[in-house]
Amino acid sequence: MSADAERTGVQRPIRCLIAKVGLDGHDRGAHVIARAFRDAGFEVVYSGLHRSPDEIVQAAVQEDVDVLGISILSGAHNTLVPKIVDGLQAYDAFEDTLFIVGGIIPEGDRAGLREMGVAAIFGPGTPMEETVEFVRENAPRRD
């Protein structure tokens, strides 16, 4: 806990980056989860569409986020997620960032993503409360 947090007894809110990577132009789910996180009291940064893995890594590092949520519907998760993991590791930020993925991820690809370090995968129809609770319970806190 930071000196300010110790003095005031208040921790900063969980800070999240919700990002759309690659050529995927469908951002409705990203907007829905961003709003749910905001309504839960999290600080939310939204990347906008068509971000490269490097742009997402740069934003995560610059914003000092606790959580990185990637929304992917394009099917490019096996190509793009490893680039994001590598980028976060290069900045020594991977261990301190809860990395979650949302979107359409085939069952056969999920184990590989988890082995890379993705903490959780949330598919279409996942209740917002489930995702919010997972983040509350698992986000590293840096005050």
Side-chain angles (χ1 to χ4, degrees):
M1 189 179 289
S2 71
D4 287 340
E6 284 183 27
R7 185 172 30 82
T8 63
V10 177
Q11 290 184 323
R12 76 169 168 95
I14 295 171
R15 185 173 295 175
C16 307
L17 171 62
I18 303 301
K20 290 296 297 182
V21 64
L23 299 177
D24 184 357
H26 302 281
D27 64 348
R28 185 175 188 164
H31 284 277
V32 168
I33 197 66
R35 173 164 275 181
F37 282 2
R38 186 202 64 200
D39 290 349
F42 303 164
E43 287 183 19
V44 179
V45 176
Y46 176 62
S47 73
L49 290 170
H50 310 300
R51 298 297 179 227
S52 72
D54 187 55
E55 287 174 313
I56 290 169
V57 169
Q58 292 296 318
V61 170
Q62 290 172 6
E63 294 289 344
D64 191 29
V65 297
D66 304 304
V67 180
L68 173 56
I70 301 295
S71 172
I72 296 183
L73 298 170
S74 67
H77 49 275
N78 287 331
T79 301
L80 298 171
V81 168
K83 291 178 181 181
I84 294 167
V85 170
D86 290 346
L88 289 171
Q89 288 172 337
Y91 281 95
D92 207 20
F94 187 72
E95 296 298 322
D96 295 330
T97 305
L98 181 69
F99 188 16
I100 60 176
V101 173
I104 299 172
I105 309 295
E107 209 46 58
D109 293 344
R110 291 174 178 233
L113 294 176
R114 286 192 184 101
E115 287 173 18
M116 283 180 232
V118 173
I121 300 166
F122 300 99
T126 302
M128 291 298 113
E129 303 82 31
E130 182 180 322
T131 308
V132 166
E133 191 59 32
F134 181 86
V135 168
R136 278 198 178 120
E137 291 176 3
N138 294 283
R141 298 307 301 267
R142 293 173 279 198
D143 293 309

